[in-house]
Amino acid sequence: MSVSSVFPQLEQLLPRVSKPIQYVGGELGAVVKDWDDTVVRWALMYPDAYEVGLPNQGVQILYEVLNEQPDVLAERSYAIWPDLEALMKEHGVPQFTVDAHRPVKAFDVFGISFATELGYTNLLSALDLAQIPLNSADRTVEHPIVLAGGHASFNPEPIADFIDAAVLGDGEEAVLEITGIIRDWKAEGCPGGRDELLLRLARTESIYVPRFYDVDYLDDGRIQRVVPNRPDVPFRVAKRTTMDLDAWPYPKKPLVPLAETVHERYAVEIFRGCTRGCRFCQAGMITRPVRERSITTVGQMVREGLEFSGFNEVGLLSLSSADHSEIGDMCSGLAQQYADENVSLSLPSTRVDAFNIDLAQELSRNGRRTGLTFAPEGGSERIRKVINKMVTEEDLIRTVVTAYGNGWRQVKLYFMCGLPTETDEDVLEIAHMAHEVIRAGREAAGTKDIRCTVSIGGFVPKPHTPFQWAPMERPEVIDARLKMLKNEINSDRSLGRAIGFRYHDGEPSLIEGLLSRGDRRIGQVIRRVWEKGGRFDGWSEHFSYSRWVEACDEVLPQFGVDLDWFTVREREEQEVLPWDHLDSGLDKDWLWQDWQDSVGEFEQDDCRWTPCFDCGVCPSMDTEIQIGPTGKKLLPLTPVNNLRVPA
Amino acid sequence: MQRIRLRYAKRGPLRFTSHRDFARAFERALRRARVPIAFSQGFTPHPKISYASAAPTGVGSEAEYLEIGLQAVTDPDQLRLALDAALSPGLDILDAVVAGEGSLADRIDASYWRIELPDVEPALASKAVTAFLDSPEVLVERMTKQGRRSFDARGAVVRCTAVGEADLPSGAMGVPCAIIDLVVRQVQPAVRPDDVLSGLRVVAGLEPPVPPRVTRLAQGTLTAQGEIVDPLDTDRGDVGIGGR
């Protein structure tokens, strides 16, 4: 059964919507295969607008890994803006892939990568447009397996009703294993239908199928237990870890969009995982252990990636890029290789020390020193101990002053507000720090013409972190603190003028908190919000706090809980958390101890340079830290001057 | 510095590429194809590229033009092949010639457009076109950066014909499709195909049930005979039919 393109119908609608190019595909690196030549077919979705979703590394990697298999087809889909959504509903055009404009419903798997929980309403829009039943229970063998991945899938309980399965952790090998299971099941003639396929997936012990687990609740609303409802699935589902990143050098052929997107660069992950141990950071906790990609693989990926894409910017990505054991040689090697090619290199890094400046100097050899970003995260020394962000104020001032002294004119400082145990004083310290930065910076730069931007994000406690038990602060308190901080920054007019202040309101963070630590009962809230028109909740112009509050008020009383119960309530040690049956490798006792240490303001060192602190990941996942240095260097490239003409 | 002029097409789905989108894609294509592009001087060097008037987003084109400056002498045919391969299919480089005297912009004063109107009876389109041409002036409105403004869509139209039914390629499954061929002079404010369509609505109430499909087939110098001469002909040393 071949599947035809919906483009002829879609084409009639495109002149009537904004930025139609985002629905057209045609990217370099895109793959279009014959439907009938393939056996297992994946539709991969990033549940946000194309401009945000296209650059997503996870989707690009899986897209390429899957399409390298001759009998596998992978295409991509993104969230549809409300203008086109309305027209598609009116004209019966279904959710489509941008590659060959095939209906998502025709694929075997509909895989959605959730970087953030605020994409949940967009999942419902996509299912609805795809004409796939919203509830997993209503789907038949005709429908794709709806599969969640990405960091949010470490607690997929709020969307448990809507997805068929979730994969925790790295996807490279998981997608191939799932493909194999589907290939075999189809070859056998789809025995046992959808249930049998889901069972085969669940039996891998690393694919979570929510329907095979029941949740029991206590009278006070807490969870009593989450247990399998059949004997042949595991009690706990483990995350995936791809070891040896040199063996998985993706993306090799990055997607190069025609539409403008948020990142226009060749991005290469230089390592995965982080053991800095920042207690708020879910990414750092769930991606352990640290696995470095070697300098030579990075060099080769950059060379081939730039040649393929024509990008003139390279991003060296990781959770803390300056921590790579070969970062110095990597930066100077790349800077040398691309010195004459108008290629800019960036190192999104958050470490606050002088070494960082050395690297930045290296990367900005060609003279462009626009801005540097540092993330002290907490304003006071005390709160930085609470979150385990080990940097002293002296370090910070010294680092920033070095930056100004070396020609940078703009420094951005990133903080969080609403952290556990936070007081007004902790937040007001941010103003003090910013004033000090400008005062010392002016002296070092010898000019008044320097700027500092203070950017504040709302803290959201996440599953599988030491803060998973922590109470959130109420939005009113956050907003009041931010107002106080703003006044304090401007209390000195000369210094205040040089300081920019950017922040987010407390309300979206509270809802993100609800979705992050929610359980299956939150599914009905998400559905209600979506029915009331909730879409694109990550966009402030689309997000409506009152819509979420109303939906909570309508749905949650029947369960004896409310929005506060999920957000501002502190959890006790013995409470069963909604994600306890999902195994990130982190030992719950260790997490609890780290939470206690946090409140006691004890810091925790990085296990790359000090002995193992028993977080539990390496032994339970049978993994190990993989770091260099390899001792290798990047060699100068031989310039190629001839035109590249196709043979 | 060598200057080369290119003609390119925006085809099929990629007609939804905006001019800015094309410009980004083209700069990447220069790098992919290793074209020795020249850069402007200064703190942030820019590649030397200048564009002739670009077709609106959503309108296909067989005749877009640009000029690039090169650091090294490059064979135009090789350049055309290299750049065409470096761009997505649908953004196609059709022609490349070494620039001669004079500027590209000076050689472009009119465009030839084809408007396809699916589900519109050719006879109806023909009647509307006649009414349009018979009017000395047809005022239409369009949103511009300065707000809504009203202007004449008739004066700039040199030629407008509805292709007769007999000339039509038989429409798929008997669905009618009117085709209008249009030659419009470049004026200020610009009169675009959609303005002429607005004009057809104003004079004859022509309301296409589905969005029309518009393609620029040529742009260049308008001859006394109302033909359009490819602006690259002069660079090639050709003398086009009716050329200067």
Side-chain angles (χ1 to χ4, degrees):
Chain A
M1 171 204 68
S2 204
V3 167
S4 54
S5 164
V6 303
F7 195 74
Q9 295 94 286
L10 179 68
E11 194 175 20
Q12 309 292 327
L13 311 179
L14 291 182
R16 299 162 65 186
V17 304
S18 70
K19 296 190 201 161
I21 186 68
Q22 66 185 308
Y23 305 114
V24 162
E27 304 92 346
L28 293 172
V31 177
V32 175
K33 291 186 180 180
D34 250 348
W35 185 266
D36 296 324
D37 291 348
T38 57
V39 175
V40 181
R41 306 175 185 107
W42 290 67
L44 300 172
M45 179 180 189
Y46 190 87
D48 203 336
Y50 181 88
E51 64 192 82
V52 178
L54 181 111
N56 181 264
Q57 284 280 295
V59 171
Q60 290 203 19
I61 290 169
L62 301 185
Y63 179 72
E64 200 172 347
V65 165
L66 286 166
N67 275 320
E68 280 183 359
Q69 303 291 312
D71 66 342
V72 180
L73 167 71
E75 302 196 2
R76 294 159 297 124
S77 192
Y78 302 93
I80 309 280
W81 283 112
D83 60 346
L84 182 59
E85 186 193 348
L87 288 171
M88 285 167 65
K89 294 279 275 185
E90 184 188 332
H91 295 270
V93 179
Q95 179 87 23
F96 56 85
T97 59
V98 297
D99 312 81
H101 295 93
R102 288 164 174 146
V104 162
K105 189 181 168 181
F107 288 75
D108 297 307
V109 187
F110 182 26
I112 305 107
S113 175
F114 291 101
T116 151
E117 297 81 3
L118 294 173
Y120 289 163
T121 46
N122 284 357
L123 164 69
L124 296 188
S125 298
L127 289 172
D128 179 54
L129 273 176
Q131 297 155 18
I132 297 170
L134 297 189
N135 281 323
S136 164
D138 299 330
R139 292 177 201 141
T140 69
V141 75
E142 300 290 300
H143 299 110
I145 297 294
V146 179
L147 180 72
H151 287 181
S153 70
F154 278 79
N155 176 27
E157 291 298 86
I159 50 169
D161 290 345
F162 314 128
I163 60 171
D164 299 306
V167 173
L168 286 64
D170 298 330
E172 290 95 338
E173 291 159 287
V175 292
L176 295 179
E177 188 180 344
I178 293 169
T179 297
I181 291 171
I182 295 174
R183 187 190 283 125
D184 292 347
W185 175 75
K186 285 179 92 166
E188 294 163 31
C190 308
R194 195 178 178 79
D195 224 47
E196 165 74 15
L197 176 57
L198 288 171
L199 186 60
R200 290 186 186 189
L201 293 173
R203 283 204 199 116
T204 61
E205 307 199 349
S206 60
I207 297 166
Y208 175 51
V209 180
R211 69 168 62 176
F212 297 148
Y213 297 80
D214 288 339
V215 184
D216 298 328
Y217 299 93
L218 298 166
D219 288 342
D220 63 5
R222 288 179 303 158
I223 293 172
Q224 183 179 25
R225 53 181 189 166
V226 182
V227 281
N229 55 26
R230 49 190 304 155
D232 43 3
V233 299
F235 273 86
R236 297 189 82 201
V237 179
K239 76 159 180 182
R240 302 279 181 148
T241 312
T242 297
M243 299 302 290
D244 190 6
L245 295 198
D246 286 342
W248 298 91
Y250 298 88
K252 297 175 192 164
K253 294 181 175 173
L255 290 161
V256 186
L258 289 164
E260 194 166 7
T261 57
V262 292
H263 296 298
E264 311 247 321
R265 64 183 181 197
Y266 178 62
V268 50
E269 260 181 302
I270 61 173
F271 64 90
R272 212 174 271 181
C274 182
T275 38
R276 285 255 154 200
C278 302
R279 294 180 173 122
F280 55 84
C281 180
Q282 187 191 39
M285 294 287 164
I286 62 178
T287 61
R288 293 174 177 194
V290 171
R291 290 145 287 153
E292 287 187 356
R293 190 165 265 153
S294 68
I295 181 171
T296 31
T297 304
V298 170
Q300 185 184 344
M301 286 177 70
V302 168
R303 193 176 67 243
E304 292 172 3
L306 288 180
E307 219 165 85
F308 175 82
S309 65
F311 282 132
N312 62 348
E313 193 185 328
V314 175
L316 302 175
L317 308 188
S318 75
L319 293 171
S320 176
S321 292
D323 287 342
H324 192 288
S325 65
E326 299 172 289
I327 192 67
D329 286 341
M330 197 186 289
C331 289
S332 57
L334 289 171
Q336 198 142 22
Q337 288 183 339
Y338 298 99
D340 305 321
E341 301 203 23
N342 288 300
V343 168
S344 68
L345 302 162
S346 68
L347 192 67
S349 165
T350 53
R351 228 170 87 181
V352 186
D353 61 28
F355 179 58
N356 205 333
I357 308 272
D358 293 344
L359 295 176
Q361 306 258 81
E362 200 61 74
L363 295 180
S364 62
R365 275 187 201 189
N366 300 341
R368 280 171 64 176
R369 293 194 174 164
T370 41
L372 276 183
T373 301
F374 299 103
E377 312 282 3
S380 70
E381 196 110 6
R382 189 196 74 77
I383 202 83
R384 287 197 294 275
K385 283 185 177 162
V386 169
I387 62 179
N388 203 41
K389 188 86 188 185
M390 289 188 278
V391 51
T392 63
E393 172 147 355
E394 298 78 72
D395 279 345
L396 179 90
I397 304 291
R398 199 179 319 122
T399 305
V400 175
V401 164
T402 312
Y404 287 128
N406 280 295
W408 271 275
R409 289 289 168 266
Q410 172 109 16
V411 167
K412 188 170 159 193
L413 299 177
Y414 184 82
F415 298 91
M416 278 188 291
C417 185
L419 289 162
T421 77
E422 179 182 280
T423 64
D424 292 355
E425 285 66 42
D426 291 319
V427 174
L428 290 177
E429 285 275 315
I430 295 171
H432 171 243
M433 191 188 277
H435 285 165
E436 213 40 53
V437 159
I438 293 294
R439 202 175 289 134
R442 281 176 176 170
E443 212 169 285
T447 166
K448 282 195 131 187
D449 183 27
I450 56 163
R451 284 193 60 77
C452 161
T453 302
V454 170
S455 182
I456 315 249
F459 164 68
V460 178
K462 297 274 177 166
H464 306 278
T465 70
F467 289 160
Q468 63 184 355
W469 292 278
M472 287 187 82
E473 199 54 90
R474 288 179 191 283
E476 312 85 85
V477 176
I478 304 267
D479 295 348
R481 274 189 191 145
L482 292 176
K483 205 167 171 188
M484 226 181 304
L485 172 59
K486 192 176 185 185
N487 291 337
E488 186 70 15
I489 287 174
N490 293 326
S491 65
D492 183 311
R493 291 192 49 190
S494 161
L495 297 176
R497 260 202 302 275
I499 300 170
F501 185 54
R502 288 198 199 148
Y503 63 96
H504 297 283
D505 298 327
E507 291 175 344
S509 299
L510 194 82
I511 298 307
E512 193 185 332
L514 167 77
L515 298 173
S516 295
R517 293 192 296 174
D519 54 39
R520 291 190 182 183
R521 295 170 292 191
I522 296 300
Q524 293 188 43
V525 175
I526 297 167
R527 182 159 183 165
R528 191 67 59 92
V529 166
W530 175 76
E531 285 166 352
K532 288 165 182 274
R535 306 281 189 281
F536 289 92
D537 281 302
W539 297 69
S540 55
E541 62 268 46
H542 290 275
F543 176 80
S544 161
Y545 182 62
S546 60
R547 196 152 48 200
W548 282 97
V549 172
E550 278 168 32
C552 284
D553 287 346
E554 287 168 30
V555 169
L556 296 179
Q558 60 179 306
F559 305 118
V561 292
D562 58 14
L563 177 57
D564 277 3
W565 192 87
F566 282 101
T567 54
V568 302
R569 181 178 65 96
E570 182 168 350
R571 277 71 159 166
E572 285 170 10
E573 185 179 6
Q574 298 310 322
E575 179 165 344
V576 176
L577 301 172
W579 51 89
D580 278 351
H581 58 300
L582 301 175
D583 188 3
S584 60
L586 295 158
D587 180 32
K588 198 177 177 188
D589 292 338
W590 176 80
L591 282 172
W592 177 262
Q593 187 53 47
D594 205 42
W595 168 225
Q596 298 309 303
D597 286 350
S598 159
V599 181
E601 297 163 23
F602 291 113
E603 294 160 294
Q604 172 67 63
D605 276 323
D606 190 316
C607 64
R608 271 171 292 185
W609 306 296
T610 59
C612 170
F613 47 74
D614 290 328
C615 74
V617 172
C618 291
S620 69
M621 295 289 140
D622 192 23
T623 54
E624 60 184 2
I625 298 175
Q626 291 179 334
I627 55 174
T630 60
K632 299 221 171 89
K633 304 256 189 262
L634 291 178
L635 302 174
L637 295 176
T638 328
V640 189
N641 290 323
N642 56 318
L643 210 56
R644 199 202 291 176
V645 182
Chain B
M1 188 180 75
Q2 185 191 30
R3 290 180 304 137
I4 288 188
R5 290 171 182 164
L6 303 170
R7 178 162 74 98
Y8 65 96
K10 271 181 8 176
R11 290 171 172 160
L14 293 204
R15 72 181 187 277
F16 292 105
T17 311
S18 74
H19 178 57
R20 277 165 53 91
D21 297 336
F22 178 83
R24 275 195 316 277
F26 186 72
E27 286 184 32
R28 287 190 198 120
L30 290 169
R31 286 191 293 271
R32 294 186 86 208
R34 299 194 207 112
V35 174
I37 189 78
F39 283 88
S40 65
Q41 299 298 305
F43 192 60
T44 46
H46 288 287
K48 295 258 191 194
I49 309 169
S50 56
Y51 292 91
S53 79
T57 305
V59 168
S61 180
E62 293 295 316
E64 301 293 287
Y65 292 90
L66 61 80
E67 180 177 308
I68 56 178
L70 301 173
Q71 297 171 19
V73 172
T74 305
D75 176 61
D77 291 331
Q78 294 290 305
L79 179 78
R80 189 193 72 71
L81 287 171
L83 275 174
D84 189 47
L87 284 162
S88 295
L91 299 177
D92 301 325
I93 306 286
L94 305 178
D95 202 356
V97 297
V98 176
E101 294 293 307
S103 87
L104 195 51
D106 286 347
R107 291 185 210 153
I108 296 179
D109 51 26
S111 280
Y112 170 25
W113 309 90
R114 169 158 290 181
I115 306 174
E116 290 165 60
L117 298 161
D119 286 350
V120 171
E121 287 296 337
L124 216 62
S126 183
K127 241 169 75 185
V129 166
T130 308
F132 181 84
L133 291 175
D134 286 348
S135 312
E137 185 186 68
V138 179
L139 287 180
V140 296
E141 286 193 334
R142 189 199 327 144
M143 284 303 286
T144 68
K145 283 190 188 100
Q146 287 81 37
R148 184 163 287 278
R149 62 179 292 179
S150 175
F151 57 94
D152 174 35
R154 171 66 187 89
V157 173
V158 179
R159 186 151 58 86
C160 184
T161 50
V163 175
E165 228 163 333
D167 313 339
L168 271 181
S170 59
M173 291 169 293
V175 179
C177 178
I179 293 182
I180 293 174
D181 279 355
L182 183 67
V183 175
V184 186
R185 252 195 312 274
Q186 265 189 15
V187 290
Q188 282 296 330
V191 173
R192 306 189 306 208
D194 51 327
D195 299 320
V196 173
L197 285 167
S198 301
L200 296 177
R201 186 171 59 239
V202 170
V203 295
L206 188 75
E207 295 272 9
V210 294
R213 205 169 152 149
V214 183
T215 310
R216 168 142 67 193
L217 294 178
Q219 60 175 328
T221 313
L222 187 66
T223 65
Q225 292 76 33
E227 299 296 325
I228 289 178
V229 181
D230 181 347
L232 302 189
D233 282 355
T234 315
D235 298 313
R236 259 190 294 263
D238 300 354
V239 179
I241 304 155
R244 318 175 167 191

